[in-house]
């Protein structure tokens, strides 16, 4: 297609909605390391995992060579309510930046959860329902995952118990009401409802919580309640698998346009939206069919890739979860409460971690005030109020487009606009009032947290 014929929006038809998820691990030369049992240092078996996750999801989690998993018809039907999502050419932003670059974004905010998280929530709830379970437990940070899961459980008639990071629970009371509308129960974490919550409260009185604490509580609640399993909205291999629907749609749309993105950018908290967006493109790169650059953007206040260690660590603060090999700041790392909303997790997807270690993925940390400057500029020219998380990707896309002014390069940039920011107005308010600060951890703080990295039996002894 000629450059000036590219439409503002490219939609696929319902019939073109992907029929299978793509698992990037199938094409990775170095597979992500397996999750380990912290007690024995041995890889976790399907049997051990099936006490925490439901069966089909355990199979997906442990896979490393099967490339495609058919999307069950019921999940595809649910997807049709809000997918395929549009691929947008950001003509207005390009004009304001006066850049020769061509900027595209894949918009995942067109559902009530306001984010891409619904793509995995419906899949996980579906498999729990099919196993005949009564309900699921989970944690939520900024609230998008809790909302997405509540929507999926409400639709399928499953119980949903959400532990919400206390700082978000207090900053975002309306999120809780959305979740309750879909029938979920919501508890601020750390809470006194679980043993691990009580332990964390005793150790860190007055803590505003972290995703790591909330995960510990949700896992404990799941394994101690009959008929319940735990579900997680990011980080896990199965979540990246479900999120591949984003990248598959984006790739199909670009193929339709006859355009190849040169640089693909996404924000990274636990890595699910980025991992889903890049999956099929990375697959082509790994198979030697095409070349692309991939860039992960993370907050300077929680810089897992750019300042973390690639090591086995717990996925939760309470240290009751399995060990995953990933870029991590240490499971005792709790980001400053000043940092707005999501992207607060101490670790990173093992798949993306391996790609980063192998030099296939780049990473950059950006400061919060610069992120909100980019968010505001984007809102004013593209009309969408972006989520603070997504605005990390916007920041990097703008910076890359501005760099093209120097080089004159007509770079095709694709970024993931993972969601909208209607529930993040407290953070927008702080920004507008000039009260937003960048709180960047010192090397000493990180060193203290690294010192708590676990010794793995057999590996470190
Ligand atoms: C949860 C969330 C993220 C971060 O999670 P990832 O797993 O890294 O994608 C990013 N953007 C939005 C809108 C979110 O809700």
């Amino acid at each position: 297609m000629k450059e000036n014929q590219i439409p503002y929006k490219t939609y696929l038809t319902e019939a073109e909605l992907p029929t299978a998820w793509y698992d990037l691990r199938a094409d990775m030369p170095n597979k992500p390391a397996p999750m380990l049992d912290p007690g024995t240092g041995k890889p976790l078996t399907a049997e051990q995992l099936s006490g925490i996750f439901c069966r089909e999801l355990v199979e997906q989690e442990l896979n490393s060579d099967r490339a495609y998993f058919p999307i069950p018809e019921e999940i595809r039907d649910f997807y049709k309510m809000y997918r395929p999502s549009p691929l947008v050419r950001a003509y207005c932003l390009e004009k304001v930046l006066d850049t020769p670059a061509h900027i595209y974004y894949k918009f995942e905010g067109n559902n009530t959860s306001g984010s891409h998280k619904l793509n995995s929530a419906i899949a996980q709830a579906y498999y729990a329902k099919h196993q005949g379970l009564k309900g699921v437990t989970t944690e939520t940070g900024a609230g998008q995952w809790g909302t997405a899961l509540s929507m999926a459980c409400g639709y399928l008639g499953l119980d949903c118990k959400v532990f919400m990071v206390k700082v978000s629970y207090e900053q975002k009371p309306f999120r809780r009401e959305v979740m309750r509308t879909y029938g979920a129960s919501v508890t601020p974490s750390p809470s006194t409802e679980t043993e691990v919550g009580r332990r964390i409260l005793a150790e860190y009185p007055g803590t505003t919580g972290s995703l790591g604490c909330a995960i510990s509580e949700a896992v404990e609640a799941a394994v101690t309640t009959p008929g319940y399993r735990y579900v997680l909205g990011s980080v896990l291999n199965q979540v990246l698998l479900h999120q591949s629907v984003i990248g598959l749609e984006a790739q199909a749309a670009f193929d339709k346009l006859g355009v190849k993105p040169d640089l693909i950018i996404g924000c990274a908290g636990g890595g699910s939206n980025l991992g889903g967006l890049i999956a099929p493109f990375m697959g082509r790169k790994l198979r030697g069919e095409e070349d692309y650059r991939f860039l992960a953007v993370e907050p300077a206040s929680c810089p897992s890739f750019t300042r973390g260690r690639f090591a086995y660590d717990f996925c939760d603060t309470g240290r009751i979860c399995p060990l995953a090999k990933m870029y991590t700041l240490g499971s005792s790392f709790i980001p400053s409460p000043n940092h707005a909303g999501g992207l607060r997790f101490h670790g990173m997807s093992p798949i993306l971690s391996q790609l980063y270690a192998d030099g296939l993925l780049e990473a950059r940390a950006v400061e919060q005030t610069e992120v909100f400057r980019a968010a505001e500029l984007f809102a004013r020219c593209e009309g969408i109020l972006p989520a603070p998380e997504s605005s990390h990707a916007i920041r990097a896309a703008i910076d890359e487009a501005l760099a093209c002014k120097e080089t004159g390069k007509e770079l095709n940039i694709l970024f993931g606009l993972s969601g909208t920011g209607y529930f993040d107005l407290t953070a927008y308010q702080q920004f507008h009032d000039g009260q937003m600060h960048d709180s960047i951890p010192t090397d000493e703080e990180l060193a203290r947290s690294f010192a708590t990295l676990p010794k793995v039996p057999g590996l470190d002894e």
Side-chain angles (χ1 to χ4, degrees), residues 141-402:
Q144 289 96 325
W145 168 246
T147 308
L149 189 68
S150 306
M151 291 172 71
C153 288
Y155 180 77
L156 294 168
L158 274 177
D159 286 351
C160 179
K161 180 160 182 63
V162 180
F163 290 88
M164 185 169 187
V165 178
K166 194 178 276 168
V167 60
S168 299
Y169 184 90
E170 285 161 3
Q171 280 181 0
K172 303 181 177 187
F174 296 146
R175 272 273 177 211
R176 179 181 68 213
E177 294 317 312
V178 180
M179 288 186 249
R180 289 172 67 195
T181 301
Y182 288 98
S185 76
V186 189
T187 307
S189 164
S191 78
T192 53
E193 283 184 25
T194 63
E195 217 174 287
V196 66
R198 292 189 289 273
R199 177 155 62 77
I200 290 167
L201 281 173
E203 204 171 325
Y204 306 95
T207 176
T208 51
S210 70
L211 217 44
C213 298
I215 293 174
S216 306
E217 290 208 273
V219 171
E220 183 186 319
V223 298
T224 54
T225 317
Y228 277 67
R229 290 292 186 283
Y230 167 70
V231 295
L232 178 62
S234 185
V235 184
L236 295 174
N237 302 327
Q238 53 183 281
V239 181
L240 267 73
L241 173 69
H242 307 145
Q243 295 297 356
S244 68
V245 71
I246 305 172
L248 291 163
E249 284 182 12
Q251 191 168 66
F254 273 114
D255 288 350
K256 246 185 177 177
L257 296 174
V259 171
K260 180 187 94 78
D262 302 300
L263 170 62
I264 305 179
I265 303 174
C267 65
S272 75
N273 88 89
L274 174 65
L277 177 67
I278 69 173
F281 296 100
M282 183 65 86
R284 280 185 181 170
K285 182 180 169 110
L286 293 172
R287 295 189 303 269
E289 299 163 9
E290 273 288 8
D291 198 20
Y292 309 92
R293 275 179 63 208
F294 302 97
L295 176 61
V297 191
E298 61 186 11
S301 58
C302 193
S304 318
F305 274 132
T306 52
R307 295 174 68 199
R309 297 262 173 89
F310 190 33
Y312 268 107
D313 194 9
F314 290 97
C315 294
D316 64 321
T317 314
R319 301 166 76 98
I320 62 174
C321 285
L323 300 173
K325 190 172 180 200
M326 57 187 174
Y327 279 87
T328 177
L329 298 169
S331 62
S332 65
F333 180 79
I334 296 187
S336 156
N338 181 271
H339 174 67
L343 311 185
R344 294 170 59 90
F345 187 59
H346 64 273
M348 186 52 68
S349 143
I351 293 177
L352 294 188
S353 293
Q354 188 62 51
L355 293 170
Y356 183 64
D358 290 342
L360 292 158
L361 169 68
E362 301 164 39
R364 177 183 301 174
V366 291
E367 295 185 9
Q368 176 160 252
T369 43
E370 285 305 314
V371 165
F372 275 80
R373 247 175 232 125
E376 192 174 73
L377 175 63
F378 181 84
R380 287 180 190 180
C381 44
E382 291 290 321
I384 297 171
L385 183 76
E389 295 90 340
S390 322
S391 304
H392 290 70
I394 299 177
R395 176 75 266 163
I398 289 177
D399 291 343
E400 292 290 326
L402 290 174

Side-chain angles (χ1 to χ4, degrees), residues 392-451:
H392 290 70
I394 299 177
R395 176 75 266 163
I398 289 177
D399 291 343
E400 292 290 326
L402 290 174
C404 288
K405 288 170 78 160
E406 309 293 318
T407 60
K409 258 178 124 173
E410 295 187 13
L411 202 67
N412 288 321
I413 300 174
L414 165 64
F415 73 87
L417 185 63
S418 50
T420 49
Y422 303 114
F423 287 103
D424 300 287
L425 294 172
T426 311
Y428 273 95
Q429 182 182 16
Q430 281 175 0
F431 173 66
H432 294 140
D433 291 344
Q435 283 166 357
M436 178 169 276
H437 309 289
D438 297 307
S439 39
I440 299 170
T442 62
D443 288 340
E444 291 70 36
E445 280 170 317
L446 291 185
R448 269 202 297 282
S449 183
F450 291 144

Side-chain angles (χ1 to χ4, degrees), residues 106-139:
K106 178 79 170 155
F107 181 46
E108 290 293 317
N110 250 336
N111 68 78
T112 296
S113 80
S115 80
H116 64 288
K117 295 211 171 64
L118 194 52
N119 300 331
S120 183
I122 187 62
Q124 296 192 48
Y126 169 87
Y127 290 119
K129 179 82 183 175
H130 269 246
Q131 194 173 321
L133 296 174
K134 186 164 181 298
V136 290
T137 69
T138 197
E139 74 296 324

